Amino acid sequence: MSGRKGRMKLVEEVRLLRRGRDWRGRAPAPRSAQPWTKAPPSRAFPTEWARTPLAIAARKVAFDGVLRTVTWSQTRPEIHGAEILDDIKGPVVFVANHASHLDTPLILGSLPVRLRRRVAVAAAADYFFDARWRAVATALTFNAFPIERRGAGGALDLATELLEDGWNLLIYPEGTRSTDGWARRFRMGASLLCREQGVPAVPLVLRGTYRAMPRGGFWVKKGRPVVSVRYGRPLVPEPDETTTAFNARLEDAIGRLWVEHDTDWWTSLHSSDRRRAPRGPEASEWRRKWESTRPQAPSSTHHRVWRRR
């Protein structure tokens, strides 16, 4: 009798397994679980309309009349190396560290009009172009175009087309804003573009923007904090230079500008710490944030850009 019961129990267990359940009668996966399917390829948000004459005219009103005015009134921008921009014809790739949503309006606002009118800004597709209203506003205000930051195929195709059409680009090679005010290692995208297209990279360093409006902030902190942009001389890829080597040279230039901001030009040229300086101290998170949010006093030697050409 016991043998018959055992056989019946075994048959019942087999039936449960055939119905996708275990020996206790429980499903191995929740009912809400869906079978894996390949995600359809994402369609890039079209931004060609943002470079039409009508959109350019609207951007002049939106940026020059509103955003630049607000940025300059809520902060105290100080621009270093503005004379370097006098000899730049374009197309070039502006390469900067990234710590705040203030970075882009500060950079664009510091450029002469002749350059600013021909700058397209690379913006993360999964953040700025995930919702249609945000995509339209970003493309119109900053002449932004989407770029994949997860290494998707064809991520740099549009950037290449823009360079070929004579547009300057603004790219943040870190791929995202800093979480503590210090720079991360550069990804290769900007260096690859410069090397393959034979265009110069213009390194620049932003300081004070993390303190003024850190990640997660929605408005500039009170007191008109000092923020600064420091431009370096354009770097041109050598004919036999690899992307990795040029990327290292770019990081070195950014590091030199970082050290120059804290010391002086002569010291920055001979500093052995310039590759590590933008990464900040090797310390706990709170200490790194504390170091990056130290107030900086205005400097009378800083050249403030107000001219329009």
Side-chain angles (χ1 to χ4, degrees):
M1 190 70 177
S2 60
R4 183 179 178 184
K5 287 183 178 180
R7 288 193 297 273
M8 291 178 63
K9 187 176 181 180
L10 179 61
V11 171
E12 182 63 24
E13 289 181 0
V14 171
R15 288 174 180 172
L16 288 172
L17 291 172
R18 289 181 63 184
R19 293 201 300 267
R21 297 179 178 272
D22 61 18
W23 63 273
R24 295 169 296 181
R26 297 178 180 178
R31 294 180 181 179
S32 60
Q34 298 294 327
W36 180 87
T37 57
K38 185 177 180 180
S42 59
R43 296 181 60 187
F45 182 84
T47 58
E48 293 83 0
W49 59 270
R51 290 176 284 279
T52 61
L54 182 60
I56 291 174
R59 182 159 50 250
K60 186 178 186 300
V61 174
F63 185 85
D64 293 352
V66 180
L67 190 56
R68 186 180 187 276
T69 301
V70 170
T71 302
W72 254 247
S73 65
Q74 296 299 307
T75 65
R76 283 178 282 180
E78 295 178 339
I79 316 302
H80 310 254
E83 68 280 358
I84 292 173
L85 303 173
D86 295 340
D87 298 326
I88 293 177
K89 306 300 181 184
V92 298
V93 178
F94 293 99
V95 176
N97 61 302
H98 195 20
S100 171
H101 280 324
L102 272 177
D103 295 344
T104 299
L106 183 59
I107 293 171
L108 294 179
S110 70
L111 291 172
V113 173
R114 63 179 181 83
L115 290 176
R116 181 162 74 243
R117 294 283 182 268
R118 297 292 297 175
V119 173
V121 180
D126 60 320
Y127 184 91
F128 290 100
F129 292 89
D130 61 337
R132 188 171 183 82
W133 67 267
R134 187 185 291 117
V136 171
T138 304
L140 178 62
T141 306
F142 299 111
N143 189 20
F145 63 95
I147 190 167
E148 299 290 343
R149 47 184 180 181
R150 292 184 174 84
L156 298 179
D157 289 350
L158 181 53
T160 300
E161 293 177 12
L162 289 169
L163 285 174
E164 291 174 347
D165 291 340
W167 289 89
N168 305 304
L169 302 183
L170 170 57
I171 296 180
Y172 300 108
E174 294 169 75
T176 186
R177 285 171 295 155
S178 172
T179 57
D180 56 14
W182 299 97
R184 300 183 180 189
R185 295 298 300 268
F186 283 3
R187 299 182 181 183
M188 297 286 183
S191 299
L192 180 63
L193 277 172
C194 292
R195 190 181 63 81
E196 291 192 343
Q197 299 302 311
V199 299
V202 179
L204 61 105
V205 161
L206 297 145
R207 299 294 297 272
T209 57
Y210 180 80
R211 177 179 178 271
M213 194 170 79
R215 188 167 181 163
F218 296 98
W219 195 253
V220 181
K221 291 186 177 180
K222 295 180 180 180
R224 293 192 66 204
V226 177
V227 292
S228 65
V229 185
R230 184 178 295 271
Y231 288 95
R233 298 200 174 278
L235 302 180
V236 181
E238 300 293 340
D240 57 347
E241 191 172 22
T242 65
T243 300
T244 301
F246 185 66
N247 197 60
R249 196 149 61 94
L250 253 180
E251 287 191 314
D252 185 72
I254 293 290
R256 192 196 67 74
L257 293 171
W258 194 285
V259 173
E260 182 181 349
H261 181 87
D262 294 331
T263 56
D264 54 68
W265 173 78
W266 179 257
T267 302
S268 71
L269 290 180
H270 300 86
S271 172
S272 60
D273 194 42
R274 61 192 191 189
R275 289 293 298 276
R276 193 192 63 81
R279 315 239 189 280
E282 295 180 1
S284 59
E285 183 180 0
W286 74 266
R287 177 61 185 273
R288 289 171 59 84
K289 288 184 177 180
W290 181 75
E291 288 285 350
S292 64
T293 53
R294 284 188 178 187
Q296 57 179 359
S299 172
S300 59
T301 61
H302 296 172
H303 179 56
R304 185 169 298 184
V305 174
W306 291 96
R307 66 178 184 265
R308 292 172 178 267
R309 295 183 298 178

